[in-house]
Amino acid sequence: MKVDVLLGLQWGDEGKGKIVDVLTPGYEIIARFQGGPNAGHTLEFNDIKHVLHTIPSGIFRSDKLNVIGNGVVIDPITLKKEIDALMKYNINFNENLLISKKAHLILPSHRLLDASSEKAKGKNKIGSTLKGIGPTYMDKTGRNGLRVGDVFEDNFKERYTKLVNKHKTLLDFYEFDYDLDSMEEEWMKSIDFLKNLNVIESEHFLNNKLKEGKRVLAEGAQGSLLDIDFGTYPFVTSSNTVTAGACTGLGISPNKIGDVYGIFKAYCTRVGSGPFPSELNDDVGQKLRDVGHEYGATTGRPRRCGWIDLPALKYTIMVNGVTKLCMMKADILSHFDVINVCTHYRYKGEVIDYFPYDVVDIEAEPIYKELPGWNVDLTKVTLESEFPKELSDYISYLEKELEVPITIVSVGPDRKQTIIRSV
Ligand code: GDP
Ligand code: IMO
Ligand code: MG
């Protein structure tokens, strides 16, 4: 069997959690492959809203296995809190949640380093979620990190102290005030909790399951425009959020990748700093934020809002090898008479149709095509045949431009508000 991958094509928060939840019945295993508690994936069903940060979005289906892969960075404190909050739903975490021995650990001092680095950057700050993601991946690539499997070793505390001492030197360099003691106590307790979870060699486990014919869905976090290589560097996260990240983050070879589901909002949002060519700093942007409830699921920060950006989407579809598209939040555009689509940019005096190298220092001014809105409430629509003509035209236009079929259209946050198209 092959591994299907589901990931975000914009700057995160596209609705990945919702669609993983919708697709989970078709898979035996759901696996996160990168990122960590910077993610906030929202699922809604039975009138309850859940936000997951480290746990894969298949956890609510009792017959599914959920793997936290080697490419993920885990903060045992947030993982414990997440599990504690879900205890009331009778989830069998010992059986259904599997954690890679090779996943790296976020230490309390990584969180402090994240905060001190942002403070030092001043107005150029990344707008990090301050969960310690960047410093943890830095220690991973710097070959200093601690992994989940290390917690079972006798010298774990020594190695922890050695790494923290290094971090303290850096924090002193940044002249950053901190109180590590209380954070450490909670962290060590959470490490004991982690030891009792199901820690495995997940690359062997997943490849064996594939051999047995089991279906695996890899759940991306963040979005392709936040990818460390292909995103709007340096305003990105510290992992490979693209399809290739599923190979390194799970130990799956590239020839085992099957379908790639690319998720995008029918418009565009971004939280944190960095370029966003089609951002709307006006009443229309504010209306998108209000109607779309565009506030971060992890930090509660208001999301920046703007129109859909085709050059950016074409780029992320290309680097991911997307085979199926999912268009989210179509219901939000029902509130607009006119919908704009960014088709080109004016860049260094020229009109271009691609996402340029430098959008940080050089402005890419969006050029729009205007399309008619549909002004029809979509939230109760269950069949594609009920779509207003303007929505069908919007979908056809995007499919023609993006050259990939839109197989899912989402018309509300609930699991049921999802239309699977027969394309
Ligand atoms: P993720 O990080 O990609 O999983 O996305 P988030 O959960 O951070 O943000 C998506 C938000 O949009 C959540 O609040 C979802 O409940 C909500 N959502 C998802 N799909 C739809 C949709 O089609 N319509 C509306 N109105 N809300 C949606
Ligand atoms: P999900 O999985 C949206 C953004 C942060 C910041 C930048 C770097 O819910 O889509 P980091 O904490 O990773 O060092 O922050 O990336 N960011 C996200 N934005 N959704 C996310 O995850 C994000 N994870 C990180 O706002 O701009
Ligand atoms: Mg999110």
Side-chain angles (χ1 to χ4, degrees):
M1 288 303 279
K2 301 227 167 186
V3 176
D4 291 342
V5 182
L6 181 147
L7 42 76
L9 295 178
Q10 295 159 324
W11 281 285
D13 301 332
E14 296 89 350
K16 298 174 291 293
K18 171 181 165 164
I19 298 301
V20 171
D21 175 52
V22 167
L23 296 178
T24 295
Y27 296 88
E28 276 87 27
I29 300 166
I30 309 299
R32 275 279 306 271
F33 58 89
Q34 46 67 235
N38 48 351
H41 294 182
T42 315
L43 290 73
E44 265 188 64
F45 50 87
N46 302 341
D47 294 325
I48 306 180
K49 176 171 154 173
H50 304 276
V51 182
L52 297 172
H53 300 286
T54 310
I55 297 173
S57 299
I59 200 69
F60 294 101
R61 315 252 189 190
S62 58
D63 55 339
K64 307 296 173 187
L65 297 178
N66 291 267
V67 174
I68 301 178
N70 56 279
V72 176
V73 288
I74 299 176
D75 184 336
I77 296 179
T78 33
L79 179 62
K80 180 175 184 304
K81 279 190 188 148
E82 223 177 309
I83 292 177
D84 286 347
L86 292 173
M87 277 304 182
K88 58 181 176 222
Y89 298 105
N90 289 327
I91 294 166
N92 188 345
F93 284 103
N94 285 328
E95 293 230 327
N96 291 354
L97 183 67
L98 309 166
I99 302 171
S100 169
K101 266 187 152 173
K102 294 196 169 91
H104 277 247
L105 290 169
I106 303 177
L107 274 54
S109 42
H110 283 133
R111 271 160 49 197
L112 294 172
L113 283 171
D114 210 355
S116 63
S117 155
E118 285 286 76
K119 193 170 165 224
K121 283 192 159 88
K123 69 175 183 21
N124 294 322
K125 69 176 184 186
I126 308 294
S128 152
T129 59
L130 302 179
K131 303 291 176 191
I133 305 294
T136 306
Y137 279 116
M138 279 166 72
D139 271 337
K140 176 179 177 175
T141 51
R143 295 158 295 178
N144 295 310
L146 288 175
R147 301 185 290 175
V148 169
D150 297 337
V151 304
F152 301 101
E153 302 296 328
D154 292 339
N155 65 354
F156 177 65
K157 289 243 163 81
E158 265 165 57
R159 291 180 58 190
Y160 169 85
T161 307
K162 196 170 161 210
L163 186 54
V164 172
N165 284 341
K166 188 170 151 248
H167 292 166
K168 283 180 178 165
T169 319
L170 279 167
L171 288 166
D172 290 343
F173 169 80
Y174 279 124
E175 296 177 356
F176 193 76
D177 290 332
Y178 60 90
D179 169 21
L180 201 51
D181 294 350
S182 58
M183 292 167 93
E184 274 185 328
E185 200 181 318
E186 195 184 0
W187 194 79
M188 285 300 175
K189 276 189 196 148
S190 311
I191 288 289
D192 289 336
F193 176 81
L194 178 68
K195 279 182 175 168
N196 289 316
L197 295 173
N198 206 342
V199 174
I200 61 162
E201 306 220 7
S202 58
E203 63 276 35
H204 291 290
F205 173 83
L206 288 168
N207 281 289
N208 286 337
K209 289 290 176 192
L210 290 175
K211 259 192 209 159
E212 288 170 21
K214 301 282 191 261
R215 286 157 301 177
V216 178
L217 179 64
E219 173 179 359
Q222 290 75 59
S224 305
L225 295 171
L226 288 171
D227 180 272
I228 183 74
D229 280 278
F230 302 108
T232 45
Y233 193 88
F235 297 98
V236 293
T237 191
S238 299
S239 65
N240 277 119
T241 61
V242 294
T243 305
C247 295
T248 57
L250 293 175
I252 300 291
S253 64
N255 61 355
K256 293 211 179 72
I257 298 294
D259 268 321
V260 179
Y261 289 90
I263 317 262
F264 66 98
K265 278 180 190 162
Y267 48 99
C268 199
T269 64
R270 171 165 204 169
V271 60
S273 333
F276 179 177
S278 61
E279 180 173 14
L280 295 164
N281 289 310
D282 58 8
D283 292 352
V284 182
Q286 186 58 42
K287 188 170 165 187
L288 277 170
R289 184 157 39 249
D290 291 342
V291 186
H293 305 292
E294 294 295 354
Y295 295 89
T298 297
T299 57
R301 290 178 293 177
R303 294 182 184 135
R304 300 156 63 192
C305 297
W307 296 118
I308 198 164
D309 182 335
L310 294 188
L313 271 180
K314 286 178 189 173
Y315 178 67
T316 54
I317 287 171
M318 175 186 79
V319 294
N320 286 301
V322 172
T323 60
K324 293 178 174 178
L325 287 167
C326 310
M327 185 171 91
M328 310 302 291
K329 294 198 138 180
D331 54 305
I332 303 306
L333 290 189
S334 299
H335 299 263
F336 296 83
D337 295 332
V338 167
I339 296 165
N340 280 317
V341 174
C342 167
T343 58
H344 297 75
Y345 308 119
R346 207 175 303 282
Y347 184 75
K348 295 187 191 170
E350 272 179 50
V351 173
I352 59 166
D353 64 357
Y354 60 89
F355 200 66
Y357 169 74
D358 186 4
V359 276
V360 173
D361 299 316
I362 304 168
E363 196 194 351
E365 186 198 329
I367 299 176
Y368 291 112
K369 179 180 168 71
E370 205 177 274
L371 296 173
W374 40 88
N375 286 123
V376 175
D377 178 17
L378 298 177
T379 55
K380 292 183 186 62
V381 168
T382 53
L383 297 170
E384 191 187 351
S385 55
E386 296 165 23
F387 281 176
K389 182 180 177 303
E390 292 82 357
L391 171 59
S392 297
D393 289 348
Y394 189 62
I395 292 170
S396 303
Y397 172 72
L398 293 181
E399 283 184 322
K400 193 168 128 288
E401 286 292 318
L402 302 174
E403 299 180 76
V404 182
I406 297 178
T407 58
I408 293 179
V409 176
S410 178
V411 293
D414 194 273
R415 194 188 260 178
K416 291 195 197 115
Q417 293 170 302
T418 313
I419 291 119
I420 313 278
R421 297 178 71 225
S422 48
V423 285

